[in-house]
Amino acid sequence: MIELHQVHRDFLVGDQTVHALNDINLTITAGEYLSIMGPSGSGKSTLLNLIGLLDRPSSGQYLLDGEDVTTLGDVQQAHTRNRRIGFVFQAFHLVPRLTAAENVELPLILAATPPQERRERVAAALEALNLSDRARHKPEQLSGGQRQRIAIARATITEPAVLLADEPTGNLDHQSGGDVIETLERLNRRAITLIVVTHDAELGARASRRILMRDGRIESDKRTDRA
Amino acid sequence: MFTRDFLRLTGSALIAHRLRSFLTTLGIAVGIAAVILLTSIGEGIHQFVLAEFTQFGTTIVGINPGKTSTHGASTGVFGTVRPLTLEDAQALQRLPFARAVVPLVQGNAEVEAGNRRRRTTVYGVGAQMPQAFSMQVKSGRFLPADDPSAPRAFAVLGSKLRHELFASENPLGQRLGIGGSRYRIIGVMEEKGTVLGFDLDDTVYIPAARALELFNRDSLFEIDLMYAADVRSETVVKGIRNLLLARHGREDFTITTQEQMLDVLGSILNILTFAVGAIGGISLLVGAIGIGTIMTIAVNERTAEIGVLRALGARRAQVLGLFLGEAMVLAALGGVVGLVAGIGIAQLLHLLLPALPVHTPWLFVILAETVALLIGLAAGVLPARRAAGLDPVEALRGE
């Protein structure tokens, strides 16, 4: 469902051009569990942002479900992000002044979903993550693990096909990191395509398909068939 | 996005920084209050002055001897000017639209009654003066319609002069000496009060022909003509001009309509109101800078939030709208608070100083609120554009 053909992404730093992504060819099928690993500056975050339509390739082609999304305008890109892509960030990025429930509701508000339907879906999403009793709490009143699970609920409330996670456990202790991974993998088992960018070798190894990046290129692409 | 959600998001951002929002709002409120207060006073004075002038009626045309190229007092070259005479007044009387014609001579003279003397303003007028200037006789009657060239020696007193000379006595039928001649008092006018510093009650009215004699003049000061309300003032001016041209041979007189006077006066007073309003506007400008500053800070503080909103599917236009909305809500709230404060202070001032007229037209209220909204828009547009233009990847990295 995700196809990248000869994708390049160049940045101009000072008067030097940096090839953050250098001729990336990648095909990801629906429902895959994929980890992207590699040292800092290897381009893994850039790749994730590009797949998430937060960034555009300098050249090359990006097909999402067979549709060329590289040339979409702002409105269609925003719509695609809203409906088909979910983001989970290392720093959670919850809106601090909104309650947990309101944070989860945000994508639906932006999409102008009717309030009644919104309430039901948010309640169901919080219920599924065992966070119903935290609905009215502000982010600052939640633990790190709870915050990241709220962020996951927010990323998946519009039922996207792809969930992108950038170092989802980077700011968490081992225990809550485990909870978060558990939550993500449960979503993957229910057919969501999960792409995780991480430094953490242990976390990366859990994925059925593991991509290693170096200097803007894909160095290795390994699969294990899961039982 | 629904309007309600939009307002909720905007509101939550403003409430999250209560003190800051309050202070920013206060900046606009002070500005709007100043504008409303100053223009209320200006407009009050405007209406007050116009009322003073229109109390004599609005369908009046004044004819003065001499011709000047500008409106106002006629300082024409008297040597070459024919006097305006009582005969001119009589001729004007015959114009079809003339309802009342009043010849006018004015001067100061000492009047005496019994053993009391007082310097006062003497008006030589015609019998139709009360009609022309909507003035009322309180007791007795006004000057009769005698032969204008040889009127009987009657006098009518202004209410203040009556009190000064006769106290509680009945003045009707009493004798009054003006400049050596004797007059019989046949009436007393209703109180008229002071108009622009002239006491209209400290006066005595006598027939115009006798006043000309008294002050040794051959020309009237002015002839006032009241015309029928359904006739256009242009027609009136044209009629008068033709008649006097025929009588004088050239245009050695000036015709001033009440309309013209009110127009000139009105535009002067409008400039005054506008000027004081503009002074208040300076404080509005300061308030606008406050909003611009706060919104710039808000965009900087919330870059990560902007990035998240974009990642969650917010369009650039939605981000722009949210930040513009915040600026406009701040300004609109400030506007409402300022309106209430401005009108409140204006009314309080009126209560404390009843002499100070105050008036707040609805147009100003709506205008002020609109200005407040526009200020919010203008002050918010730069920071909001910056927010909308942020690269989401950069914005997310910003924390």
Side-chain angles (χ1 to χ4, degrees), chain A residues 142-220:
Chain A
L142 301 172
S143 73
Q146 286 170 337
R147 286 187 211 184
Q148 194 61 303
R149 274 152 60 215
I150 291 292
I152 293 170
R154 181 176 69 181
T156 52
I157 192 74
T158 55
E159 291 166 358
V162 190
L163 184 57
L164 307 175
D166 194 351
E167 302 277 11
T169 60
N171 283 13
L172 297 175
D173 60 51
H174 191 76
Q175 172 68 42
S176 26
D179 285 350
V180 164
I181 286 301
E182 184 58 43
T183 307
L184 290 174
E185 288 177 353
R186 204 166 52 230
L187 287 162
N188 174 244
R189 282 196 293 276
R190 274 189 259 141
I192 204 166
T193 310
L194 177 63
I195 304 176
V196 180
V197 162
T198 184
H199 270 111
D200 182 345
E202 191 190 336
L203 172 54
R206 295 172 68 102
S208 55
R209 182 174 174 193
R210 298 168 301 279
I211 287 176
L212 184 66
M213 290 191 69
R214 189 178 297 276
D215 299 332
R217 293 175 187 277
I218 294 176
E219 200 172 72
S220 71

Side-chain angles (χ1 to χ4, degrees), chain A:
Chain A
M1 66 176 302
I2 294 171
E3 290 176 60
L4 299 177
H5 296 299
Q6 291 153 18
V7 166
H8 292 257
R9 181 69 174 104
D10 306 328
F11 292 103
L12 207 61
V13 181
D15 51 2
Q16 239 180 339
T17 307
V18 176
H19 302 285
L21 294 179
N22 198 348
D23 193 27
I24 299 286
N25 289 287
L26 182 65
T27 302
I28 302 168
T29 51
E32 269 193 285
Y33 178 9
L34 189 128
S35 69
I36 303 174
M37 298 191 48
S40 295
S42 60
K44 53 191 195 303
S45 284
T46 305
L47 180 61
L48 197 75
N49 290 331
L50 211 130
I51 293 172
L53 289 178
L54 288 177
D55 203 357
R56 288 166 194 261
S58 306
S59 67
Q61 201 186 27
Y62 172 17
L63 301 179
L64 182 62
D65 284 333
E67 182 195 1
D68 189 348
V69 290
T70 33
T71 53
L72 287 183
D74 175 58
V75 174
Q76 286 124 324
Q77 275 204 344
H79 187 260
T80 307
R81 283 198 295 268
N82 185 258
R83 298 297 164 87
R84 290 154 75 176
I85 299 166
F87 283 97
V88 176
F89 306 98
Q90 178 175 6
F92 323 134
H93 285 320
L94 297 179
V95 179
R97 59 175 189 279
L98 300 180
T99 64
E102 285 168 336
N103 264 291
V104 175
E105 199 181 0
L106 260 182
L108 297 177
I109 289 176
L110 292 171
T113 310
Q116 180 60 35
E117 187 190 335
R118 274 183 350 221
R119 263 193 299 281
E120 286 163 11
R121 282 168 73 171
V122 169
L126 290 174
E127 181 68 48
L129 291 174
N130 268 332
L131 287 166
S132 297
D133 56 332
R134 294 282 181 268
R136 293 180 175 282
H137 288 55
K138 292 279 170 69
E140 63 191 15
Q141 297 166 303
L142 301 172
S143 73
Q146 286 170 337
R147 286 187 211 184
Q148 194 61 303
R149 274 152 60 215
I150 291 292
I152 293 170
R154 181 176 69 181
T156 52
I157 192 74
T158 55
E159 291 166 358
V162 190
L163 184 57
L164 307 175
D166 194 351
E167 302 277 11
T169 60
N171 283 13
L172 297 175
D173 60 51
H174 191 76
Q175 172 68 42
S176 26
D179 285 350
V180 164
I181 286 301
E182 184 58 43
T183 307
L184 290 174
E185 288 177 353
R186 204 166 52 230
L187 287 162
N188 174 244
R189 282 196 293 276
R190 274 189 259 141
I192 204 166
T193 310
L194 177 63
I195 304 176
V196 180
V197 162
T198 184
H199 270 111
D200 182 345
E202 191 190 336
L203 172 54
R206 295 172 68 102
S208 55
R209 182 174 174 193
R210 298 168 301 279
I211 287 176
L212 184 66
M213 290 191 69
R214 189 178 297 276
D215 299 332
R217 293 175 187 277
I218 294 176
E219 200 172 72
S220 71
D221 184 349
K222 293 183 187 140
R223 293 163 195 262
T224 41
D225 289 329
R226 258 190 304 183

